Amino acid sequence: QPSFYQMFNNAMAEVVTCDVVVLANADMAFDDTMSLARSLNPEVLAVLGTSGFSNKMTANIKNIYEEMMGTDYITDVEQRSGHPGSWEIDSCAELIFSWDTWIFHKSKLMGRLKEANFKRLSQTNELVPFYMNENGAESAALWAIEQSYPFSSTYNACDRIQSWHFHLAPKTHKVREAPWLQGSKDV
């Protein structure tokens, strides 16, 4: 699994020919609202939180989700979470500080990424890279990107651009042998 630095650095490669980059977890799905990314202000870093399994899903996306996951999955999640009918909850509004997608102008980050900014201290005080699915990694990556270029703002565009996280397995977080924060139970 690539680190966050590797992922952003890969987006700078010559094979990425457009200036607007959409960098997302592999299990994300989007509808045609993604076309709004073309008009992103170059001085804004956009992130996207998931809309969840919601009533915002188009019939096509919902059918694909149900084919892949089955409705038993939805019912099981609702029962475990104690929120029957939770598919109607607006995950974008509920989880504003959680995102799985980054949208930015490649030209703003080209030549500016610093690998050291994409590392954090381990329990043994070593600087180590962080990866997707580690607790808090998205916030650490945001800090690293903001050190690379002084965007005028960071905007969670989930209220305008719809995305859905198609978890094909139970949520997992990359496990470290030692927690990255001293005294932390999150590893």
Side-chain angles (χ1 to χ4, degrees):
Q1 173 180 3
S3 68
F4 262 106
Y5 172 75
Q6 290 167 321
M7 290 182 355
F8 278 97
N9 199 42
N10 288 345
M12 300 299 115
E14 286 182 26
V15 296
V16 179
T17 57
C18 293
D19 189 42
V20 176
V21 173
V22 177
L23 183 65
N25 289 6
D27 55 357
M28 297 303 296
F30 306 95
D31 67 10
D32 60 354
T33 59
M34 181 52 79
S35 65
L36 293 171
R38 285 185 284 216
S39 302
L40 178 67
N41 178 337
E43 296 301 320
V44 173
L45 170 64
V47 294
L48 287 182
T50 182
S51 298
F53 187 87
S54 71
N55 53 8
K56 291 183 181 181
M57 273 186 174
T58 63
N60 186 32
I61 299 268
K62 186 175 180 183
N63 289 337
I64 292 168
Y65 193 98
E66 288 177 344
E67 279 290 316
M68 293 173 72
M69 306 303 295
T71 53
D72 290 343
Y73 173 81
I74 305 305
T75 304
D76 182 48
V77 169
E78 289 177 353
Q79 293 303 319
R80 281 187 285 122
S81 68
H83 302 299
S86 64
W87 71 275
E88 294 179 4
I89 292 174
D90 182 357
S91 293
C92 172
E94 295 281 322
L95 304 169
I96 194 163
F97 297 109
S98 178
W99 52 86
D100 301 297
T101 304
W102 307 78
I103 306 171
F104 55 92
H105 281 261
K106 177 180 171 179
S107 59
K108 298 299 179 181
L109 296 179
M110 184 65 80
R112 294 175 174 255
L113 297 175
K114 292 184 175 71
E115 189 171 7
N117 289 339
F118 289 86
K119 294 184 177 185
R120 56 187 176 183
L121 287 176
S122 69
Q123 188 175 14
T124 59
N125 286 330
E126 293 177 81
L127 283 174
V128 295
F130 50 89
Y131 301 84
M132 278 190 165
N133 292 326
E134 285 185 13
N135 286 326
E138 61 207 6
S139 296
L142 176 60
W143 179 87
I145 292 299
E146 289 176 339
Q147 302 314 299
S148 302
Y149 183 79
F151 288 99
S152 64
S153 68
T154 300
Y155 169 56
N156 190 337
C158 64
D159 61 333
R160 309 274 317 270
I161 301 175
Q162 302 300 306
S163 66
W164 293 275
H165 206 156
F166 282 21
H167 283 283
L168 299 180
K171 186 167 179 72
T172 59
H173 285 88
K174 183 170 177 63
V175 175
R176 293 181 182 266
E177 290 184 23
W180 66 276
L181 286 177
Q182 192 168 6
S184 174
K185 293 180 182 173
D186 294 331
V187 293

